[in-house]
Protein backbone atom coordinates (compact mmCIF):
# COMPACT_ATOMS: atom_id res chain seq x y z
CA UNK A 1 0.00 0.00 0.00
CA UNK A 2 1.32 3.42 -0.94
CA UNK A 3 0.50 6.99 0.00
CA UNK A 4 1.10 10.45 -1.44
CA UNK A 5 2.64 12.89 1.07
CA UNK A 6 3.05 16.63 0.79
CA UNK A 7 5.98 16.55 -1.66
CA UNK A 8 4.09 14.56 -4.26
CA UNK A 9 6.01 11.26 -4.15
CA UNK A 10 4.58 7.81 -3.61
CA UNK A 11 5.53 5.99 -0.42
CA UNK A 12 5.08 2.51 0.99
CA UNK A 13 7.20 -0.20 2.52
CA UNK A 14 8.76 -1.37 -0.74
CA UNK A 15 9.28 2.14 -2.09
CA UNK A 16 10.77 3.30 1.20
CA UNK A 17 13.26 0.44 1.13
CA UNK A 18 14.17 1.34 -2.46
CA UNK A 19 14.53 5.01 -1.48
CA UNK A 20 16.81 4.04 1.40
CA UNK A 21 18.91 1.81 -0.87
CA UNK A 22 19.20 4.69 -3.32
CA UNK A 23 20.31 7.05 -0.56
CA UNK A 24 22.95 4.53 0.52
CA UNK A 25 24.32 4.03 -2.99
CA UNK A 26 24.52 7.74 -3.78
CA UNK A 27 26.14 8.50 -0.42
CA UNK A 28 28.64 5.67 -0.98
CA UNK A 29 29.58 7.38 -4.26
CA UNK A 30 30.61 10.66 -2.61
CA UNK A 31 34.04 9.61 -1.31
CA UNK A 32 35.85 7.00 -3.48
CA UNK A 33 37.31 9.55 -5.92
CA UNK A 34 39.17 11.04 -2.96
CA UNK A 35 39.86 8.11 -0.63
CA UNK A 36 41.05 5.72 -3.36
CA UNK A 37 43.94 7.99 -4.37
CA UNK A 38 45.99 7.94 -1.16
CA UNK A 39 46.91 4.21 -1.23
CA UNK A 40 48.35 4.53 -4.77
CA UNK A 41 49.61 8.10 -4.55
CA UNK A 42 53.23 7.02 -5.03
CA UNK A 43 52.31 5.02 -8.13
CA UNK A 44 50.38 7.94 -9.62
CA UNK A 45 53.22 10.30 -8.76
CA UNK A 46 55.68 8.00 -10.51
CA UNK A 47 53.48 7.39 -13.55
CA UNK A 48 53.13 11.10 -14.26
CA UNK A 49 56.52 12.19 -12.84
CA UNK A 50 54.78 14.64 -10.55
CA UNK A 51 56.57 17.31 -8.55
CA UNK A 52 55.71 17.71 -4.87
CA UNK A 53 53.45 20.67 -5.59
CA UNK A 54 51.50 18.65 -8.17
CA UNK A 55 51.03 15.81 -5.70
CA UNK A 56 49.94 18.32 -3.07
CA UNK A 57 47.47 19.81 -5.55
CA UNK A 58 45.92 16.39 -6.17
CA UNK A 59 45.38 15.88 -2.45
CA UNK A 60 43.95 19.41 -2.16
CA UNK A 61 41.52 19.09 -5.05
CA UNK A 62 38.65 17.56 -3.02
CA UNK A 63 38.44 20.48 -0.63
CA UNK A 64 39.05 23.04 -3.38
CA UNK A 65 36.37 21.70 -5.73
CA UNK A 66 33.92 21.07 -2.91
CA UNK A 67 34.34 24.70 -1.88
CA UNK A 68 33.78 26.08 -5.39
CA UNK A 69 31.05 23.74 -6.62
CA UNK A 70 29.19 23.62 -3.31
CA UNK A 71 28.06 27.18 -3.93
CA UNK A 72 26.38 26.19 -7.21
CA UNK A 73 24.55 23.16 -5.78
CA UNK A 74 21.48 25.04 -4.57
CA UNK A 75 21.08 27.01 -7.85
CA UNK A 76 21.41 23.68 -9.67
CA UNK A 77 18.70 22.27 -7.39
CA UNK A 78 16.46 25.23 -8.24
CA UNK A 79 17.09 24.84 -11.97
CA UNK A 80 16.85 21.09 -12.57
CA UNK A 81 15.14 19.82 -9.43
CA UNK A 82 16.04 17.08 -7.00
CA UNK A 83 15.98 14.27 -9.55
CA UNK A 84 18.09 16.12 -12.11
CA UNK A 85 20.59 17.27 -9.49
CA UNK A 86 21.32 13.75 -8.29
CA UNK A 87 21.41 12.40 -11.85
CA UNK A 88 24.09 15.00 -12.51
CA UNK A 89 25.91 13.88 -9.37
CA UNK A 90 25.99 10.22 -10.41
CA UNK A 91 26.92 10.88 -14.05
CA UNK A 92 29.79 13.25 -13.22
CA UNK A 93 31.26 10.85 -10.66
CA UNK A 94 30.95 7.83 -12.95
CA UNK A 95 32.59 9.59 -15.89
CA UNK A 96 35.31 11.26 -13.84
CA UNK A 97 36.35 8.22 -11.81
CA UNK A 98 36.15 5.81 -14.74
CA UNK A 99 37.86 7.94 -17.36
CA UNK A 100 40.73 9.23 -15.21
CA UNK A 101 42.01 5.68 -14.89
CA UNK A 102 42.45 5.51 -18.67
CA UNK A 103 44.33 8.71 -19.52
CA UNK A 104 48.08 9.15 -19.93
CA UNK A 105 48.28 12.90 -19.30
CA UNK A 106 48.63 14.48 -15.88
CA UNK A 107 46.41 17.37 -17.00
CA UNK A 108 43.68 14.96 -18.13
CA UNK A 109 43.96 12.96 -14.91
CA UNK A 110 43.58 16.12 -12.82
CA UNK A 111 40.75 17.44 -15.01
CA UNK A 112 38.74 14.22 -14.77
CA UNK A 113 39.33 14.17 -11.03
CA UNK A 114 37.81 17.65 -10.94
CA UNK A 115 34.75 16.38 -12.85
CA UNK A 116 34.25 13.54 -10.36
CA UNK A 117 34.71 15.89 -7.41
CA UNK A 118 32.21 18.36 -8.88
CA UNK A 119 29.60 15.62 -8.90
CA UNK A 120 30.51 14.67 -5.36
CA UNK A 121 30.22 18.31 -4.29
CA UNK A 122 26.69 18.66 -5.62
CA UNK A 123 25.70 15.41 -3.94
CA UNK A 124 27.20 16.53 -0.63
CA UNK A 125 24.88 19.52 -0.50
CA UNK A 126 21.75 18.00 -2.05
CA UNK A 127 21.55 14.71 -0.14
CA UNK A 128 20.66 16.34 3.22
CA UNK A 129 17.71 17.95 1.43
CA UNK A 130 16.71 14.54 0.05
CA UNK A 131 16.97 13.04 3.53
CA UNK A 132 14.77 15.75 5.03
CA UNK A 133 12.07 15.54 2.34
CA UNK A 134 12.03 11.78 1.66
CA UNK A 135 12.25 10.67 5.31
CA UNK A 136 10.49 13.51 7.19
CA UNK A 137 9.17 11.25 9.95
CA UNK A 138 12.33 9.18 10.27
CA UNK A 139 15.04 11.81 10.40
CA UNK A 140 17.37 9.65 12.51
CA UNK A 141 17.11 6.77 10.03
CA UNK A 142 17.86 9.00 7.05
CA UNK A 143 20.71 10.87 8.75
CA UNK A 144 22.25 7.63 10.02
CA UNK A 145 22.03 5.89 6.64
CA UNK A 146 23.59 8.95 5.00
CA UNK A 147 26.54 9.26 7.36
CA UNK A 148 27.23 5.51 7.62
CA UNK A 149 27.21 5.21 3.84
CA UNK A 150 29.65 8.09 3.49
CA UNK A 151 31.93 6.20 5.87
CA UNK A 152 31.61 3.03 3.81
CA UNK A 153 32.35 4.99 0.66
CA UNK A 154 35.57 6.21 2.22
CA UNK A 155 36.56 2.96 3.92
CA UNK A 156 36.29 0.40 1.14
CA UNK A 157 38.40 2.31 -1.42
CA UNK A 158 41.04 2.99 1.24
CA UNK A 159 41.10 -0.71 2.14
CA UNK A 160 40.77 -2.33 -1.28
CA UNK A 161 42.53 -0.02 -3.73
CA UNK A 162 46.06 -1.19 -2.84
CA UNK A 163 45.18 -4.94 -2.87
CA UNK A 164 43.30 -4.58 -6.17
CA UNK A 165 46.24 -2.68 -7.61
CA UNK A 166 48.60 -5.40 -6.40
CA UNK A 167 46.41 -8.21 -7.73
CA UNK A 168 46.20 -6.73 -11.22
CA UNK A 169 49.65 -5.12 -10.99
CA UNK A 170 47.96 -1.98 -12.32
CA UNK A 171 47.02 1.10 -10.31
CA UNK A 172 44.57 2.13 -13.03
CA UNK A 173 42.36 -0.84 -12.26
CA UNK A 174 42.57 -0.04 -8.56
CA UNK A 175 41.25 3.48 -9.20
CA UNK A 176 38.83 2.87 -12.07
CA UNK A 177 36.84 0.07 -10.45
CA UNK A 178 35.14 2.59 -8.14
CA UNK A 179 33.15 3.99 -11.07
CA UNK A 180 30.81 1.02 -10.58
CA UNK A 181 29.36 2.48 -7.39
CA UNK A 182 27.90 5.71 -8.85
CA UNK A 183 26.80 3.78 -11.95
CA UNK A 184 24.70 1.49 -9.74
CA UNK A 185 23.42 4.53 -7.83
CA UNK A 186 22.30 6.15 -11.09
CA UNK A 187 20.35 3.06 -12.15
CA UNK A 188 18.63 2.83 -8.76
CA UNK A 189 17.77 6.54 -8.78
CA UNK A 190 16.17 6.26 -12.22
CA UNK A 191 14.12 3.26 -11.06
CA UNK A 192 12.95 5.27 -8.04
CA UNK A 193 11.89 8.10 -10.36
CA UNK A 194 9.99 5.71 -12.62
CA UNK A 195 8.23 4.44 -9.49
CA UNK A 196 7.21 8.09 -8.80
CA UNK A 197 8.87 8.03 -5.40
CA UNK A 198 11.19 11.05 -5.77
CA UNK A 199 10.04 14.16 -3.82
CA UNK A 200 8.85 17.10 -5.88
CA UNK A 201 10.29 20.19 -4.23
CA UNK A 202 8.23 22.52 -6.43
CA UNK A 203 5.00 21.17 -4.94
CA UNK A 204 3.58 23.56 -2.31
CA UNK A 205 3.27 22.14 1.17
CA UNK A 206 -0.26 21.45 2.38
CA UNK A 207 0.49 22.90 5.80
CA UNK A 208 1.13 26.59 5.26
CA UNK A 209 0.04 27.98 8.60
CA UNK A 210 3.60 28.77 9.64
CA UNK A 211 5.34 31.87 8.38
CA UNK A 212 8.10 31.37 5.85
CA UNK A 213 11.71 31.43 7.00
CA UNK A 214 13.58 34.69 6.64
CA UNK A 215 15.66 35.33 3.56
CA UNK A 216 18.62 36.89 5.35
CA UNK A 217 21.95 35.40 4.39
CA UNK A 218 22.92 32.34 6.41
CA UNK A 219 26.18 34.08 7.29
CA UNK A 220 24.25 36.31 9.70
CA UNK A 221 23.75 33.26 11.94
CA UNK A 222 26.62 32.79 14.39
CA UNK A 223 25.70 29.12 14.72
CA UNK A 224 26.00 28.63 10.95
CA UNK A 225 29.42 30.30 10.99
CA UNK A 226 30.66 28.05 13.80
CA UNK A 227 29.23 25.03 11.99
CA UNK A 228 31.12 26.06 8.84
CA UNK A 229 34.40 26.44 10.75
CA UNK A 230 33.91 23.12 12.52
CA UNK A 231 33.03 21.43 9.24
CA UNK A 232 36.06 22.96 7.54
CA UNK A 233 38.54 21.95 10.25
CA UNK A 234 37.29 18.38 10.41
CA UNK A 235 37.49 18.31 6.60
CA UNK A 236 41.13 19.39 6.76
CA UNK A 237 41.74 16.38 8.99
CA UNK A 238 39.86 14.06 6.66
CA UNK A 239 41.45 15.13 3.39
CA UNK A 240 44.96 15.33 4.77
CA UNK A 241 44.44 11.77 5.97
CA UNK A 242 42.97 10.62 2.65
CA UNK A 243 45.82 12.17 0.70
CA UNK A 244 48.84 11.87 2.97
CA UNK A 245 48.33 9.34 5.77
CA UNK A 246 49.49 6.26 3.82
CA UNK A 247 52.56 8.20 2.70
CA UNK A 248 53.29 9.28 6.28
CA UNK A 249 53.27 5.65 7.36
CA UNK A 250 55.28 4.54 4.32
CA UNK A 251 57.93 7.19 4.98
CA UNK A 252 58.09 5.95 8.57
CA UNK A 253 58.93 2.45 7.33
CA UNK A 254 55.63 0.59 6.84
CA UNK A 255 55.08 -1.34 3.60
CA UNK A 256 52.46 0.03 1.15
CA UNK A 257 49.71 -2.49 1.95
CA UNK A 258 50.08 -2.02 5.71
CA UNK A 259 50.16 1.75 5.24
CA UNK A 260 46.92 1.52 3.25
CA UNK A 261 45.48 -0.65 6.01
CA UNK A 262 46.15 2.12 8.52
CA UNK A 263 44.06 4.48 6.41
CA UNK A 264 41.40 1.78 6.35
CA UNK A 265 41.41 1.72 10.16
CA UNK A 266 40.89 5.48 10.15
CA UNK A 267 38.08 5.39 7.63
CA UNK A 268 36.53 2.39 9.41
CA UNK A 269 35.60 4.85 12.12
CA UNK A 270 33.03 6.22 9.71
CA UNK A 271 30.80 3.21 10.38
CA UNK A 272 30.36 3.45 14.17
CA UNK A 273 30.68 7.21 13.86
CA UNK A 274 27.91 7.26 11.29
CA UNK A 275 25.65 5.35 13.67
CA UNK A 276 26.52 7.18 16.87
CA UNK A 277 27.22 10.79 15.90
CA UNK A 278 23.74 11.50 14.47
CA UNK A 279 22.19 10.12 17.66
CA UNK A 280 24.43 12.34 19.78
CA UNK A 281 23.38 15.43 17.82
CA UNK A 282 19.73 14.65 17.06
CA UNK A 283 18.99 13.48 20.61
CA UNK A 284 21.25 16.10 22.29
CA UNK A 285 23.31 13.52 24.20
CA UNK A 286 26.10 15.74 25.60
CA UNK A 287 26.96 16.98 22.11
CA UNK A 288 29.56 19.52 23.26
CA UNK A 289 31.39 16.94 25.36
CA UNK A 290 31.57 14.46 22.50
CA UNK A 291 32.64 17.00 19.89
CA UNK A 292 35.50 18.14 22.12
CA UNK A 293 36.46 14.49 22.75
CA UNK A 294 36.78 13.96 18.98
CA UNK A 295 39.26 16.83 18.89
CA UNK A 296 41.32 15.51 21.79
CA UNK A 297 41.53 12.09 20.17
CA UNK A 298 42.73 13.54 16.86
CA UNK A 299 45.39 15.56 18.69
CA UNK A 300 46.62 12.35 20.33
CA UNK A 301 46.76 10.54 16.99
CA UNK A 302 48.83 13.25 15.33
CA UNK A 303 51.19 13.46 18.31
CA UNK A 304 51.72 9.71 18.08
CA UNK A 305 52.56 9.97 14.37
CA UNK A 306 54.89 12.86 15.15
CA UNK A 307 56.81 11.27 18.04
CA UNK A 308 56.68 7.47 17.65
CA UNK A 309 54.91 6.59 14.37
CA UNK A 310 55.96 2.94 14.14
CA UNK A 311 55.76 2.05 17.84
CA UNK A 312 51.99 1.68 17.88
CA UNK A 313 50.76 2.56 14.37
CA UNK A 314 47.33 0.99 14.90
CA UNK A 315 46.77 3.04 18.07
CA UNK A 316 47.42 6.30 16.24
CA UNK A 317 45.04 5.21 13.48
CA UNK A 318 42.35 4.36 16.05
CA UNK A 319 42.72 7.76 17.71
CA UNK A 320 42.39 9.47 14.34
CA UNK A 321 39.39 7.25 13.56
CA UNK A 322 37.58 8.41 16.68
CA UNK A 323 38.51 11.98 15.81
CA UNK A 324 36.85 11.32 12.46
CA UNK A 325 33.50 10.96 14.22
CA UNK A 326 33.50 14.75 13.81
CA UNK A 327 32.48 14.34 10.17
CA UNK A 328 29.11 12.61 10.67
CA UNK A 329 28.55 14.91 13.64
CA UNK A 330 29.09 17.95 11.40
CA UNK A 331 26.61 16.62 8.85
CA UNK A 332 24.09 15.82 11.57
CA UNK A 333 24.38 19.40 12.84
CA UNK A 334 23.12 20.63 9.46
CA UNK A 335 19.83 18.75 9.77
CA UNK A 336 19.66 18.78 13.57
CA UNK A 337 20.20 22.52 13.95
CA UNK A 338 17.79 23.56 11.18
CA UNK A 339 14.03 23.20 10.88
CA UNK A 340 12.62 24.48 7.58
CA UNK A 341 13.79 22.68 4.42
CA UNK A 342 14.79 26.01 2.87
CA UNK A 343 17.09 26.72 5.81
CA UNK A 344 18.47 23.19 5.61
CA UNK A 345 19.37 23.66 1.94
CA UNK A 346 20.92 27.07 2.46
CA UNK A 347 22.80 26.00 5.58
CA UNK A 348 24.08 22.85 3.87
CA UNK A 349 25.42 24.90 0.96
CA UNK A 350 26.97 27.57 3.18
CA UNK A 351 28.49 25.23 5.77
CA UNK A 352 29.94 22.78 3.29
CA UNK A 353 31.16 25.29 0.71
CA UNK A 354 32.71 27.62 3.28
CA UNK A 355 34.09 24.71 5.24
CA UNK A 356 35.72 23.15 2.22
CA UNK A 357 37.68 26.34 1.62
CA UNK A 358 39.62 25.33 4.72
CA UNK A 359 39.73 21.74 3.51
CA UNK A 360 41.34 22.90 0.27
CA UNK A 361 44.00 24.87 2.10
CA UNK A 362 44.91 22.06 4.50
CA UNK A 363 46.42 19.44 2.15
CA UNK A 364 48.15 22.18 0.16
CA UNK A 365 49.65 23.55 3.37
CA UNK A 366 50.80 20.08 4.39
CA UNK A 367 52.40 19.53 0.98
CA UNK A 368 54.10 22.92 1.13
CA UNK A 369 55.35 22.39 4.68
CA UNK A 370 56.64 18.95 3.71
CA UNK A 371 58.53 20.40 0.76
CA UNK A 372 60.05 23.23 2.82
CA UNK A 373 60.95 21.21 5.90
CA UNK A 374 61.92 17.95 4.20
CA UNK A 375 60.15 15.85 6.84
CA UNK A 376 56.87 15.23 8.61
CA UNK A 377 57.56 17.02 11.90
CA UNK A 378 56.33 20.46 10.80
CA UNK A 379 53.27 19.22 8.86
CA UNK A 380 52.19 17.02 11.78
CA UNK A 381 52.67 19.89 14.22
CA UNK A 382 50.40 21.94 11.96
CA UNK A 383 47.76 19.19 12.10
CA UNK A 384 47.90 19.11 15.91
CA UNK A 385 46.87 22.77 15.86
CA UNK A 386 44.08 22.10 13.34
CA UNK A 387 42.68 19.29 15.50
CA UNK A 388 42.73 21.49 18.60
CA UNK A 389 40.86 24.30 16.85
CA UNK A 390 38.30 21.76 15.68
CA UNK A 391 37.36 21.15 19.31
CA UNK A 392 36.85 24.86 20.00
CA UNK A 393 34.58 25.42 17.01
CA UNK A 394 32.72 22.15 17.64
CA UNK A 395 31.93 23.27 21.18
CA UNK A 396 30.47 26.53 19.85
CA UNK A 397 28.59 24.92 16.95
CA UNK A 398 26.87 22.35 19.19
CA UNK A 399 25.30 24.97 21.46
CA UNK A 400 21.52 24.65 21.89
CA UNK A 401 19.23 26.36 19.39
CA UNK A 402 18.75 26.39 15.63
CA UNK A 403 19.88 28.48 12.69
CA UNK A 404 16.20 29.26 12.00
CA UNK A 405 15.83 30.83 15.44
CA UNK A 406 18.92 32.99 15.01
CA UNK A 407 17.77 34.23 11.63
CA UNK A 408 14.27 34.90 12.94
CA UNK A 409 15.59 36.83 15.91
CA UNK A 410 17.71 39.09 13.69
CA UNK A 411 15.72 39.23 10.48
CA UNK A 412 12.28 39.84 9.08
CA UNK A 413 9.80 37.33 7.83
CA UNK A 414 8.60 37.22 4.30
CA UNK A 415 8.14 35.19 1.17
CA UNK A 416 5.94 32.16 0.65
CA UNK A 417 5.73 29.29 3.04
CA UNK A 418 6.85 25.79 2.44
CA UNK A 419 9.45 23.78 0.69
CA UNK A 420 9.18 25.78 -2.49
CA UNK A 421 11.15 28.33 -0.52
CA UNK A 422 13.53 25.48 0.26
CA UNK A 423 14.70 25.46 -3.30
CA UNK A 424 13.96 29.00 -4.33
CA UNK A 425 14.69 31.00 -1.19
CA UNK A 426 18.43 31.21 -1.62
CA UNK A 427 18.72 34.97 -2.16
Amino acid sequence: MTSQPEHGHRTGRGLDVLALACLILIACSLRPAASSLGPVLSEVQGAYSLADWQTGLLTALPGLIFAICGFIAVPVLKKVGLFGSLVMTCVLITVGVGARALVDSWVSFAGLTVIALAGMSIGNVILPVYVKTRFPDRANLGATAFTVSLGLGAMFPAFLTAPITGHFDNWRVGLGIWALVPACALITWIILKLARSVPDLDRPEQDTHEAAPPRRHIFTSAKARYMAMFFGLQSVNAYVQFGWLPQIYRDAGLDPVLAGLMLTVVTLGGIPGGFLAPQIIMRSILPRFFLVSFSISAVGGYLGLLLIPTTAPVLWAILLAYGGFAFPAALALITGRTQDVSITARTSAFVQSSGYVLAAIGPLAVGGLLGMSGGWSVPLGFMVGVAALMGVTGYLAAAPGTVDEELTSTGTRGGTAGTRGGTAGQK
Side-chain angles (χ1 to χ4, degrees), residues 232-243:
L233 290 167
Q234 67 79 27
S235 293
V236 172
N237 278 303
Y239 286 101
V240 165
Q241 291 164 18
F242 287 158

Side-chain angles (χ1 to χ4, degrees), residues 323-338:
F325 282 27
F327 174 62
L331 289 176
L333 282 171
I334 294 173
T335 53
R337 293 296 189 270
T338 59

Side-chain angles (χ1 to χ4, degrees), residues 249-317:
Y249 276 115
R250 288 174 72 166
D251 289 347
L254 272 66
D255 68 80
V257 173
L258 187 57
L261 184 60
M262 293 301 100
L263 179 58
T264 302
V265 172
V266 173
T267 56
L268 187 63
I271 298 177
F275 279 109
L276 297 175
Q279 306 304 317
I280 291 168
I281 299 300
M282 305 297 282
R283 300 178 186 275
S284 294
I285 305 172
L286 300 176
R288 288 177 148 184
F289 167 81
F290 279 105
L291 266 59
V292 170
S293 75
F294 303 155
S295 169
I296 294 172
S297 183
V299 168
Y302 287 125
L303 286 175
L305 289 173
L306 174 62
L307 301 175
I308 43 176
T310 58
T311 300
V314 176
L315 175 59
W316 315 138

Side-chain angles (χ1 to χ4, degrees), residues 10 150 190 243 261 316 421:
R10 298 171 67 227
L150 285 171
I190 291 173
L261 184 60
W316 315 138

Side-chain angles (χ1 to χ4, degrees), residues 349-364:
F350 171 71
V351 167
Q352 295 197 52
S353 298
S354 302
Y356 280 126
V357 171
L358 292 176
I361 295 171
L364 277 177

